[in-house]
Amino acid sequence: MTSGSSGRPQVLTPRARRLLPLFLLVLLAFAVRQLWWLAAEESVIGGPTMGTTWSVRLDSRDRTREDLAQARAAIQASLARVDQLMSTWFNRHASTDPFPLSAETFQVLELARQVGERTDGAFDVTVKPLVAAWGFGAGARAPGHGPDATELAALRQRVGLDLLELDAAGGTVRKRRPDVECDLSAIAKGFAVDQVVRSLEALGWDAFLVEV
């Protein structure tokens, strides 16, 4: 029961009563997190990557400057490798012949395929031609000059997860059309965060927040 602006008591709805414990739990979790970080000796490092920025907050209690320098180097190496493997070199292969992928790139493409299937095509990494046609991303046309219906129809022929054949045994991918292009931006950054986490854990860090 609460008091409204008129001063008269107001009864919480059943839905509000059900949600109130969850709301209080979220507030408690947030407060605990804030107190934990305040109690910790926090170090923040960051920099540029993949056309944006990265930052990592570390609990640096009992850590040396050398430890932090080693962590930064490991993070930058992880991000640089992901950036290299997920770049647009994939799109320069204008052929329907199978070609090999790194284990990481294959893993990301396979995950993208699974997410695409589970979302009925709402997530589709082959959407790059359409993205560029609307003025976004690398190689995009000037803003304000969107595609007409005829061009859109033609571009859509180049889009679809069924246009990629992944061979897990051989670690290869084949394009059913040579002009298929992929944009991994929506999944590569999350993959990069995972790689950074692994690199920090390998160095013995166990309390940190990673953001790309």
Side-chain angles (χ1 to χ4, degrees):
M1 181 176 293
T2 63
S3 178
S5 58
S6 64
R8 293 192 300 271
Q10 296 181 353
V11 179
L12 291 175
T13 65
R15 182 172 183 271
R17 286 197 297 270
R18 289 196 301 272
L19 290 177
L20 183 59
L22 177 61
F23 177 70
L24 294 175
L25 183 62
V26 170
L27 284 180
L28 177 62
F30 180 77
V32 170
R33 173 189 174 278
Q34 292 299 102
L35 289 173
W36 182 84
W37 277 111
L38 286 173
E41 183 180 341
E42 178 183 339
S43 295
V44 183
I45 53 179
T49 185
M50 293 181 280
T52 182
T53 60
W54 65 270
S55 68
V56 175
R57 295 174 178 268
L58 298 151
D59 176 9
S60 53
R61 287 174 295 184
D62 304 320
R63 291 285 185 166
T64 65
R65 290 183 178 179
E66 289 74 18
D67 291 334
L68 287 172
Q70 190 179 31
R72 174 183 284 275
I75 292 167
Q76 290 176 322
S78 296
L79 293 172
R81 178 165 175 77
V82 173
D83 190 22
Q84 179 186 26
L85 294 176
M86 310 299 164
S87 65
T88 55
W89 68 266
F90 176 94
N91 298 324
R92 294 198 293 269
H93 187 88
S95 169
T96 57
D97 296 330
F99 59 98
L101 298 173
S102 68
E104 295 96 327
T105 307
F106 190 94
Q107 179 183 354
V108 169
L109 274 178
E110 174 59 24
L111 180 58
R113 183 191 64 78
Q114 294 175 15
V115 175
E117 290 180 350
R118 293 173 185 174
T119 59
D120 293 327
F123 183 80
D124 189 341
V125 292
T126 68
V127 77
K128 185 179 188 303
L130 287 171
V131 172
W134 283 107
F136 300 95
R141 68 178 60 186
H145 298 80
D148 58 27
T150 302
E151 185 179 3
L152 278 176
L155 289 172
R156 288 193 178 106
Q157 299 302 311
R158 300 167 53 190
V159 174
L161 288 170
D162 60 324
L163 298 176
L164 294 176
E165 292 183 2
L166 296 173
D167 179 4
T172 63
V173 62
R174 187 179 82 85
K175 301 179 182 181
R176 294 182 183 228
R177 288 179 54 123
D179 55 358
V180 171
E181 294 181 297
C182 288
D183 182 351
L184 301 177
S185 299
I187 193 169
K189 293 179 180 66
F191 180 77
V193 168
D194 291 340
Q195 298 302 101
V196 168
V197 168
R198 292 189 180 96
S199 69
L200 289 172
E201 289 176 339
L203 292 175
W205 294 87
D206 58 5
F208 48 82
L209 295 172
V210 181
E211 178 269 334
V212 177

